[in-house]
């Protein structure tokens, strides 16, 4: 019995530490995708950050929001201020079973209108 519990714990830890493959794009590549209806664009920054400056096509869904309402049949592109929170958001989406998830490298810091 102890071995089973130990095995379950080891498998759980290994699963949590498993690397998650997430696509990344530059802000220049993003410009070509802004009006693509097959993509869902989400900004995981706080509402205050979003209100201060955002890309019109992105909807604000702060990190920690319920991502399960997003469609699984479309590519989800995630942005934040620097690329760190969006990377976390992408990993969360992948763990929820979303296949096509893309992080915007450099985030809003790299965005030039």
């Amino acid at each position: 019995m102890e071995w089973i519990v130990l095995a379950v714990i080891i498998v759980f830890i290994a699963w949590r530490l498993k690397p998650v493959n997430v696509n990344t794009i530059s802000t220049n590549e993003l410009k070509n995708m802004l009006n693509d209806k097959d993509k869902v664009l989400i900004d995981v920054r706080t509402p205050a950050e979003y209100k201060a400056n955002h890309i019109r096509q992105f909807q604000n869904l702060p990190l920690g929001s319920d991502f399960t309402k997003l469609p699984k049949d479309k590519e989800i592109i995630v942005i934040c201020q620097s690329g760190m929170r969006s990377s976390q958001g992408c990993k969360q989406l992948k763990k929820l079973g979303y296949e096509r998830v893309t992080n915007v490298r450099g985030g809003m810091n790299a965005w030039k209108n």
Side-chain angles (χ1 to χ4, degrees):
M1 181 67 175
E2 293 171 4
W3 289 103
I4 293 172
V5 172
L6 183 60
V8 168
I9 291 170
I10 291 171
V11 167
F12 176 76
I13 291 171
W15 176 76
R16 295 285 296 166
L17 296 176
K18 179 181 77 164
V20 177
N21 293 330
V22 173
N23 294 332
T24 60
I25 59 169
S26 69
T27 53
N28 280 339
E29 291 171 291
L30 172 64
K31 289 177 183 178
N32 298 325
M33 302 175 178
L34 289 177
N35 297 310
D36 187 335
K37 301 297 180 210
D38 289 326
K39 298 184 185 338
V40 175
L41 309 173
I42 64 168
D43 185 325
V44 296
R45 296 177 300 154
T46 66
E49 288 174 299
Y50 180 82
K51 185 177 179 185
N53 180 30
H54 66 273
I55 302 168
R56 181 178 49 84
Q57 293 89 337
F58 278 79
Q59 63 177 310
N60 188 218
L61 221 66
L63 200 59
S65 297
D66 180 11
F67 292 148
T68 61
K69 293 179 175 58
L70 295 170
K72 289 196 174 183
D73 63 335
K74 295 186 177 188
E75 180 179 4
I76 300 177
I77 299 179
V78 187
I79 197 168
C80 68
Q81 191 63 41
S82 67
M84 297 300 291
R85 284 178 284 177
S86 56
S87 178
Q88 291 175 345
C90 287
K91 288 176 184 175
Q92 288 176 11
L93 286 162
K94 291 291 260 187
K95 289 192 181 204
L96 288 170
Y98 290 84
E99 296 290 324
R100 299 185 310 155
V101 178
T102 301
N103 184 32
V104 179
R105 198 174 19 215
M108 291 301 292
N109 289 340
W111 177 254
K112 309 268 188 295
N113 289 338

